[in-house]
Amino acid sequence: MNFDNTNAHGAQALLGKLVRPARISSALLAALLVLAGCSVAPTYERPAVDTPAAFKEAAAPQTGENGSQWKAAQPAEDIARGEWWKIFNDDSLNALEDRAQQANQDLKAAAARLGQARALTRDARSGYFPQVDAGIGATRQRTSPASQGLPADANTSPTTLYRAQVGVSYEVDLFGRVSSTVDAATADAQRSEALFHSVLLALQADVAQQYFQLRELDAALELYRGTVELRSQSLKLVQRRFDEGDISEVDVARAKSELASAQSEALGIARSRATAEHALAVLLGQTPAEFNFAPRPLTRLSLNVPAGLPSALLERRPDIAAAERSMAAANARVGVAKSAFFPSLNLTGGFGYESAQLGDLFNWSSRTFLLGPLVGTALSMPLFDGGRRQAGVDRARASYEEQVATYRGTVLNAFREVEDNLANLRILGDQTKAQDDAVQASARAAKLSHVQYREGSVSFFNVIDADRTVLQQQRAAVQLDGERARSTVNLIRALGGGWGNAQATTQVSSAE
């Protein structure tokens, strides 16, 4: 009886020794699973920026719809930009914008960059799942006599071992290293998407500006063609009077000089027009030889583009959205760097077959498995690295601060661009009115000079000077009309483009 009790106590003690490590392992595993939901990444918050209540150069604060063609909305960044150029009611411009969005190479490159960023996001997300691989192979080995406990001069035979196995590896995301990496990759992809919108908006604005530049040059050419015709008629008049002996040859020479000068200036404008037409062809994804733009003189535009509220600019500008996503990515990378201070757990395993004979490889008796790493340890804890991990954290934090400064600088630059273009349009409106008065006055003076010259009361020099003044004032008026059209486009671009029901021809999904 005593013997039986002794055996029972011994068995219980032995069982306790066996169960205790299992309990410790279970507790350790449970603790690690709890830690798997922890993340050391800092909480991301968009930094505050100083936003004025209204634009200084705006005529009046815009708080909503004002009945114009332009929609002063406050959309989110992920809403597709509308076809804002249609407010100009120009079918030719609409067609050019559609062609550019289909064939422009810079836009295609931006779409490819977006596709790369999305692929990197999918690559980062693969860290959430186990990695499984399979392999088959053979090893030929000859062991040493010493490893077998044999004399040094003993003969050992080489052996061949065939293996076929499936391996599994998985990193437990204890302190958010994997999730922070995914967050950073996701923010980078969103940044690339915002940059794609920025390239798209820049392309749309460049096409519109180049289009109005061409039309301005066409208007200037039309003006100079009229001037050349008038000066040709003046030369005929002067030549007839010279032939009749009424005037000297000096007036003829001056008339010829003015006619040649107008012809030369017209050729210079034609040269500028050819260059502008070639630039527009490249924006459309065509060679200059394949593209011809029919002459179409510019007429004066009268559009009212409300600036909206400055706070809405933070949501509308794609470059601001890109800078903000860069901050988010940098913040997530701080978490990746900080996770290096904490333990990492890598679970590995393998199952397969191994046999000394190839024919016996897939027999049930040849099965084998391995749990845990083949070399090293599953759970590793950093102890000392000479400050390498701390340097990584410091670098990540400094990168985040850099992105914060870049974001705030981008916002300030956006406010400046809006104010610049608002001031341009406001002052250009007053300047155009003054220029119209100058054109009318110079035309009246030129008409009187011609009458006085025919009556012989003034010299031909007065006529030349008056005609030259009219041409200068008319040329300045055409330039102001072109500048006003381009400033309108620049203001729309500075505001981040337009939003509406119409979707852009080129969709972001095409990057996939």
Side-chain angles (χ1 to χ4, degrees):
M1 188 69 177
N2 292 335
F3 177 75
D4 292 339
N5 289 337
T6 302
N7 290 340
H9 288 301
Q12 291 178 356
L14 179 60
L15 181 61
K17 292 179 180 179
L18 295 175
V19 171
R20 189 177 300 109
R23 290 177 177 174
I24 295 175
S25 300
S26 300
L28 177 61
L29 180 60
L32 292 176
L33 291 176
V34 172
L35 289 175
C38 299
S39 176
V40 295
T43 302
Y44 174 71
E45 294 181 0
R46 182 183 301 183
V49 293
D50 294 332
T51 304
F55 291 109
K56 180 179 70 173
E57 297 293 344
Q62 301 290 334
T63 58
E65 299 292 340
N66 63 351
S68 67
Q69 299 181 63
W70 187 256
K71 183 180 180 181
Q74 300 182 29
E77 170 56 29
D78 57 353
I79 298 179
R81 273 73 179 162
E83 298 172 335
W84 54 264
W85 56 89
K86 290 189 175 180
I87 66 172
F88 294 103
N89 293 323
D90 193 323
D91 293 336
S92 298
L93 177 59
N94 297 342
L96 292 175
E97 292 286 357
D98 292 339
R99 291 169 62 182
Q101 292 177 72
Q102 292 292 340
N104 183 264
Q105 300 304 311
D106 291 337
L107 188 62
K108 291 183 178 180
R113 289 192 294 271
L114 176 56
Q116 296 174 41
R118 288 175 171 173
L120 290 175
T121 301
R122 294 193 297 270
D123 178 74
R125 288 183 180 277
S126 66
Y128 283 134
F129 305 96
Q131 308 298 308
V132 182
D133 53 34
I136 186 171
T139 58
R140 181 77 172 170
Q141 182 179 8
R142 180 181 183 276
T143 59
S144 65
S147 65
Q148 303 295 321
L150 301 175
D153 57 350
N155 185 23
T156 57
S157 300
T159 59
T160 301
L161 187 63
Y162 299 93
R163 289 189 179 90
Q165 62 182 16
V166 175
V168 180
S169 62
Y170 177 69
E171 179 183 355
V172 181
D173 194 17
L174 293 181
F175 296 95
R177 191 196 71 82
V178 176
S179 59
S180 295
T181 302
V182 172
D183 290 343
T186 302
D188 284 336
Q190 293 169 344
R191 171 180 175 271
S192 295
E193 184 173 349
L195 290 177
F196 173 85
H197 283 298
S198 184
V199 173
L200 176 60
L201 178 60
L203 171 64
Q204 295 167 349
D206 289 344
V207 170
Q209 287 182 333
Q210 208 64 37
Y211 171 74
F212 288 123
Q213 176 71 22
L214 272 173
R215 292 191 59 188
E216 176 194 332
L217 293 172
D218 286 338
L221 280 175
E222 184 180 51
L223 173 63
Y224 272 90
R225 278 193 291 267
T227 301
V228 168
E229 183 178 354
L230 289 175
R231 290 186 179 180
S232 297
Q233 295 175 359
S234 297
L235 176 59
K236 292 178 181 179
L237 174 63
V238 172
Q239 185 68 46
R240 185 173 65 251
R241 294 190 63 184
F242 171 72
D243 294 339
E244 294 174 354
D246 294 338
I247 59 174
S248 65
E249 189 180 358
V250 175
D251 290 347
V252 178
R254 286 175 175 172
K256 290 182 178 179
S257 173
E258 290 300 312
L259 174 60
S261 175
Q263 292 172 336
S264 175
E265 291 178 4
L267 290 173
I269 295 175
R271 178 168 52 85
S272 299
R273 186 191 187 280
T275 302
E277 186 181 59
H278 300 164
L280 181 58
V282 173
L283 290 175
L284 301 179
Q286 295 179 284
T287 62
E290 298 174 317
F291 177 72
N292 288 301
F293 183 79
R296 187 183 176 190
L298 179 65
T299 56
R300 181 164 298 175
L301 300 178
S302 57
L303 289 175
N304 179 26
V305 180
L309 296 175
S311 59
L313 192 65
L314 304 182
E315 300 173 344
R316 299 175 64 154
R317 292 266 301 217
D319 56 341
I320 294 179
E324 188 273 331
R325 289 292 85 195
S326 294
M327 282 192 305
N331 182 79
R333 291 190 175 95
V334 173
V336 175
K338 292 175 67 176
S339 66
F341 282 96
F342 299 90
S344 61
L345 177 61
N346 291 278
L347 304 179
T348 58
F351 173 80
Y353 299 89
E354 63 180 16
S355 172
Q357 300 296 327
L358 184 59
D360 300 333
L361 180 60
F362 293 102
N363 291 338
W364 184 249
S365 60
S366 300
R367 68 187 184 280
T368 182
F369 71 90
L370 172 68
L371 295 179
L374 185 62
V375 294
T377 59
L379 182 65
S380 60
M381 174 69 183
L383 296 178
F384 177 76
D385 62 358
R388 180 178 60 84
R389 282 183 289 270
Q390 184 60 47
V393 173
D394 294 342
R395 178 181 178 277
R397 285 174 174 167
S399 178
Y400 172 74
E401 293 299 328
E402 177 189 3
Q403 297 303 324
V404 170
T406 301
Y407 170 74
R408 287 173 172 162
T410 303
V411 172
L412 290 175
N413 186 64
F415 288 149
R416 178 190 62 80
E417 290 179 356
V418 175
E419 296 282 10
D420 287 349
N421 288 285
L422 286 173
N424 284 343
L425 288 173
R426 176 176 57 80
I427 298 173
L428 279 171
D430 297 335
Q431 189 177 2
T432 300
K433 294 178 182 178
Q435 189 62 40
D436 290 342
D437 294 339
V439 171
Q440 293 176 2
S442 62
R444 175 64 178 167
K447 183 177 180 180
L448 294 175
S449 297
H450 281 274
V451 172
Q452 291 174 349
Y453 177 71
R454 293 190 185 97
E455 295 175 350
S457 58
V458 296
S459 67
F460 189 66
F461 180 79
N462 296 88
V463 175
I464 292 175
D465 184 65
D467 288 344
R468 189 180 299 155
T469 301
V470 171
L471 179 61
Q472 291 174 349
Q473 299 302 329
Q474 290 176 336
R475 181 76 176 96
V478 170
Q479 290 175 339
L480 286 177
D481 288 341
E483 185 65 26
R484 191 171 184 176
R486 289 189 295 273
S487 293
T488 301
V489 174
N490 282 334
L491 175 59
I492 297 173
R493 179 178 180 176
L495 291 172
W499 286 261
N501 294 328
Q503 299 295 318
T505 304
T506 300
Q507 299 294 333
V508 178
S509 59
S510 64
E512 298 177 344

